[in-house]
Amino acid sequence: MPYKRLIIGTLVLTAVGSFAVQVNALIIRHMVDTLNEVVTGVQDLAWGYKMLLFSSVVLIAKEIINAFIQFGQKFFGEKLRIYVSRDISQLIVTKILTYRMAFYTSDENDSGKLQTRIDQGIGSITRLIQNFFIDILPLFANAIVALVFIYTANVYVGLVSTAMIPLYFYVSQLQASKLKGFRRKMRSFRENKNNGIISLINSITVIKSFVREPLEAEKHEAIQYDMTENQLQTRRMSFVFDAVKGFIEQFGLVVIILMTAYFVLKGDMTVGAIMFHVLLFNNVTAPIRQLHRIYDDVNDAMIYSESFFEIIEAEHEVETTGTYVPTQIKGKIEIKNVSFDYPNGTNALKEVSMVIEPNKTTALVGLSGAGKSTVINLLDKFYAPTSGQIFLDGVDLREYDTKELRKHIGLVLQKNHIFQGSIAENIRYGNPHATMEEVELAAQKAYIHEQITELPQGYESDARLLSGGQQQRIAIARLFLKDPAIIFLDEPTASLDAIATEQIKKSLDAIKENRTVIIVSHSISQIIDAHDIVVMEKGRVVENGKHEDLYENKSTYYDIFSAMANSLNLEKISQTLHQEGGN
Ligand code: ADP
């Protein structure tokens, strides 16, 4: 719809062009007949010269008009392709941004595969649009006009030409359907191959350290060989069909020449009719000869766009949202009998219940895989519980407007994402409208301001050059700008060394103040600091309470805590510290 005028313009050009194409045939018939008359003495030489002059003028004029038409068709077709390509690229990005977490974590949407699918989808759809206006439409318009001319000249010749069309269509369709399976296979080979190379690059350190280059090369070779085999079979099949179609076309041509020659001999037609029919027949078969290519393009577009449109139309992937918009969040969270299975079937939570008090810090403790991050995923509405309910300030999480809810939640992960750009831009991600003063204030609260000002370019420095600990504090500064009532900290110090952990402690303490905080951590100090501790094991809550009580319990928490403490080698540490104190 937005490009209606462009399309109408192209259609008009196509209509004019399809008549221009027939001019050659008309002129040549006229020429041959006149020459024949001159040669046989029916007309004089001067008449012949006049005819030549007339024909030359018409042919050149036609070519000039044709040049403009061709330019217009190509340019408009290309313009349409570029515009549509821009529109659907934008469409798919805005669309997938609305999708729920499960879409991104599913195997099928591995970043490499998704990228290939989107690229190929956009590529083949836009190519189809372009081909339609540059190739398909003009060729078919030419064919139809040529057929009309043939029928006006002679009905029998017209019938022979028309008979070719269904025959050709049938063979081309047969070819296309035979090749469809190969194409589908090719698509998955390509996706796997792209994905393979990406994962190869990502795992290069491990591959090299285990000296597994030959093994990886072999794996890659296997995909490569399957692909080659498939490619060869595809080509072989194509060539067989090409040969059959070539034969059909030539056969039609011979029949038309013989028929016209017969009519000429009978005296029903002039000699010029032979050339006339051959050229018109050529105009009819030209697009048909392209038919398999058009079929291929359309099929490609169908196959690639199939999964492309699956992505665009995956309404079930759009994040669910309620309508409740909270004015203020207190931060009391109640999880009641929540069980949860990930989309791939992993049962991550079993009948989990807990109460998280507002303005307090609750630590989730448990071995890895216990389901701690899953709890946070559910609280952020990245996933919905399979059964059970979660309440925030007494309202079921399902009823909350998802975007409004997330405005009140801050998330700090093990490795926070630092976007390409300056430090100021990265902090401002927490509030795009923040002034520079507000950005600096947030940085001060996160105890990173001074370090930033010491950098040569200050707040304009590239944020990705900062150390892990500094990046983590940038992420915390970002949260100060966002100022959410609830904060989830998912192993915020796990990827940091001891010194960096010590450095970000102050900023973590600052951000925790007056907020409801849930922290997942393996750091003893962070656990002991919490007001309340929830202990999880294999997807269940096994203990809940204060550090001292839980320790007394001598159960799971005791085991985990003791293991953590032992790993620190406290005895040696205290000995060292004692000696130092003694000296
Ligand atoms: P924790 O945070 O306690 O280490 P998680 O909540 O991350 O544990 O994981 C709980 C279980 O859910 C584990 O068995 C894990 O393999 C599984 N799991 C985590 N994330 C996903 C996911 N995106 N898809 C499928 N299974 C997952």
Side-chain angles (χ1 to χ4, degrees):
M1 284 311 284
Y3 308 119
K4 222 169 26 191
R5 279 171 52 192
L6 204 54
I7 293 176
I8 291 175
T10 318
L11 292 182
V12 171
L13 285 182
T14 306
V16 178
S18 57
F19 280 94
V21 168
Q22 321 302 335
V23 169
N24 276 359
L26 287 166
I27 287 292
I28 285 182
R29 175 175 65 172
H30 179 61
M31 247 164 135
V32 173
D33 286 346
T34 312
L35 286 177
N36 198 29
E37 282 169 3
V38 173
V39 171
T40 51
V42 180
Q43 296 279 1
D44 62 5
L45 210 56
W47 179 253
Y49 288 139
K50 237 165 76 184
M51 177 276 300
L52 277 182
L53 186 70
F54 167 75
S55 303
S56 314
V57 170
V58 170
L59 286 180
I60 288 174
K62 180 216 112 186
E63 282 311 321
I64 292 173
I65 295 173
N66 221 13
F68 280 104
I69 292 173
Q70 293 243 337
F71 165 78
Q73 271 177 344
K74 285 205 174 120
F75 182 63
F76 288 171
E78 186 71 3
K79 204 163 160 184
L80 213 63
R81 182 186 70 82
I82 292 172
Y83 283 173
V84 171
S85 160
R86 175 194 65 191
D87 290 354
I88 59 177
S89 307
Q90 188 56 28
L91 175 69
I92 195 146
V93 169
T94 45
K95 195 75 201 211
I96 61 173
L97 278 172
T98 66
Y99 287 173
R100 58 201 178 122
M101 218 48 139
F103 171 81
Y104 290 94
T105 48
S106 99
D107 252 3
E108 193 186 326
N109 294 330
D110 235 43
S111 56
K113 286 190 193 171
L114 199 60
Q115 176 84 41
T116 314
R117 206 172 319 155
I118 290 176
D119 285 351
Q120 302 259 25
I122 294 176
S124 61
I125 292 169
T126 53
R127 215 175 316 119
L128 183 67
I129 291 174
Q130 188 191 29
N131 285 350
F132 183 75
F133 285 102
I134 294 180
D135 283 348
I136 306 181
L137 202 59
L139 282 172
F140 278 87
N142 294 353
I144 290 168
V145 177
L147 266 183
V148 173
F149 274 78
I150 294 185
Y151 271 102
T152 0
N154 184 285
V155 177
Y156 297 109
V157 182
L159 286 177
V160 173
S161 310
T162 322
M164 297 278 303
I165 299 173
L167 204 61
Y168 233 85
F169 257 98
Y170 172 71
V171 177
S172 298
Q173 206 204 348
L174 205 66
Q175 177 181 16
S177 71
K178 284 247 188 292
L179 289 179
K180 205 166 173 177
F182 289 115
R183 285 171 180 279
R184 255 180 237 274
K185 259 200 236 158
M186 208 61 194
R187 189 190 88 194
S188 81
F189 283 141
R190 281 214 191 94
E191 281 180 4
N192 280 336
K193 201 177 131 197
N194 281 7
N195 214 33
I197 293 176
I198 290 176
S199 76
L200 208 83
I201 295 169
N202 287 338
S203 359
I204 193 68
T205 325
V206 181
I207 296 174
K208 285 200 176 292
S209 73
F210 280 91
V211 201
R212 288 289 179 267
E213 290 95 333
L215 184 82
E216 292 299 329
E218 256 170 48
K219 274 199 234 161
H220 198 251
E221 196 179 28
I223 301 181
Q224 215 51 277
Y225 269 72
D226 287 345
M227 223 165 126
T228 319
E229 188 52 35
N230 196 49
Q231 259 170 332
L232 275 179
Q233 282 178 334
T234 316
R235 297 322 291 162
R236 191 175 54 205
M237 181 87 77
S238 291
F239 293 148
V240 168
F241 276 103
D242 284 352
V244 172
K245 287 187 303 190
F247 175 77
I248 295 175
E249 192 191 329
Q250 291 309 316
F251 185 74
L253 191 62
V254 170
V255 172
I256 281 183
I257 292 175
L258 288 179
M259 259 171 88
T260 316
Y262 170 71
F263 287 127
V264 173
L265 286 177
K266 250 180 77 183
D268 291 352
M269 285 178 190
T270 52
V271 185
I274 296 185
M275 283 306 280
F276 186 53
H277 291 168
V278 167
L279 285 178
L280 287 179
F281 183 70
N282 190 51
N283 284 349
V284 176
T285 51
I288 297 182
R289 225 176 294 138
Q290 306 277 346
L291 206 60
H292 78 279
R293 197 170 57 80
I294 293 165
Y295 250 112
D296 280 358
D297 278 347
V298 174
N299 262 323
D300 259 356
M302 291 292 186
I303 290 166
Y304 289 119
S305 62
E306 203 174 301
S307 50
F308 179 81
F309 284 113
E310 259 169 34
I311 298 175
I312 285 197
E313 285 167 0
E315 290 306 323
H316 61 282
E317 297 284 11
V318 174
E319 274 188 307
T320 51
T321 180
T323 51
Y324 178 65
V325 178
T327 43
Q328 208 199 350
I329 296 270
K330 282 205 209 63
K332 185 176 169 109
I333 298 169
E334 289 163 278
I335 301 181
K336 286 191 179 161
N337 301 322
V338 165
S339 298
F340 176 67
D341 301 333
Y342 276 102
N344 70 355
T346 309
N347 177 230
L349 296 180
K350 300 175 183 78
E351 296 285 317
V352 166
S353 296
M354 64 178 91
V355 176
I356 285 152
E357 295 297 336
N359 299 329
K360 297 223 167 109
T361 298
T362 304
L364 293 185
V365 175
L367 300 181
S368 106
K372 306 177 298 286
S373 303
T374 304
V375 169
I376 289 181
N377 279 338
L378 294 188
L379 291 178
D380 229 336
K381 267 184 98 170
F382 288 150
Y383 299 92
T386 311
S387 66
Q389 278 178 297
I390 301 175
F391 295 94
L392 172 61
D393 292 345
V395 179
D396 192 319
L397 220 51
R398 270 178 263 250
E399 284 168 29
Y400 276 83
D401 180 306
T402 307
K403 287 188 178 140
E404 291 298 326
L405 171 74
R406 288 193 191 137
K407 286 186 186 161
H408 298 281
I409 296 178
L411 187 60
V412 175
L413 302 170
Q414 185 178 35
K415 264 197 108 125
N416 272 289
H417 195 79
I418 294 293
F419 294 93
Q420 182 178 2
S422 69
I423 294 176
E425 280 171 58
N426 264 284
I427 296 179
R428 209 172 264 133
Y429 209 77
N431 175 7
H433 307 297
T435 61
M436 200 56 216
E437 286 75 43
E438 287 169 321
V439 168
E440 286 182 19
L441 189 67
Q444 272 163 8
K445 288 184 186 165
Y447 294 92
I448 183 79
H449 173 70
E450 276 175 26
Q451 289 187 20
I452 296 173
T453 48
E454 280 166 15
L455 294 170
Q457 287 168 295
Y459 278 87
E460 291 313 309
S461 316
D462 183 350
R464 285 178 308 171
L465 299 179
L466 297 173
S467 71
Q470 288 170 327
Q471 289 192 351
Q472 205 65 328
R473 271 175 285 165
I474 296 289
I476 293 170
R478 210 185 260 166
L479 276 195
F480 273 114
L481 269 194
K482 188 178 180 184
D483 194 23
I486 302 172
I487 288 199
F488 302 136
L489 304 165
D490 197 349
E491 308 198 30
T493 55
S495 65
L496 302 179
D497 55 40
I499 292 179
T501 303
E502 178 60 26
Q503 281 172 345
I504 86 155
K505 184 174 178 352
K506 273 204 268 180
S507 42
L508 273 182
D509 289 344
I511 195 85
K512 282 184 195 164
E513 235 168 78
N514 296 322
R515 295 177 214 268
T516 305
V517 177
I518 297 184
I519 180 165
V520 173
S521 178
H522 296 292
S523 141
I524 289 192
S525 74
Q526 283 163 359
I527 296 170
I528 303 179
D529 271 352
H531 301 106
D532 197 17
I533 295 169
V534 177
V535 185
M536 298 188 67
E537 193 175 12
K538 294 184 185 153
R540 292 180 196 280
V541 173
V542 287
E543 278 176 298
N544 188 353
K546 301 218 170 306
H547 165 72
E548 294 77 13
D549 302 337
L550 293 179
Y551 190 75
E552 287 298 310
N553 253 355
K554 296 245 154 99
S555 178
T556 312
Y557 181 74
Y558 175 87
D559 294 340
I560 295 176
F561 187 82
S562 308
M564 282 183 190
N566 289 338
S567 73
L568 290 178
N569 204 347
L570 283 179
E571 210 173 309
K572 211 47 178 277
I573 294 173
S574 77
Q575 254 179 30
T576 314
L577 293 177
H578 250 90
Q579 273 171 12
E580 233 177 50
N583 289 341

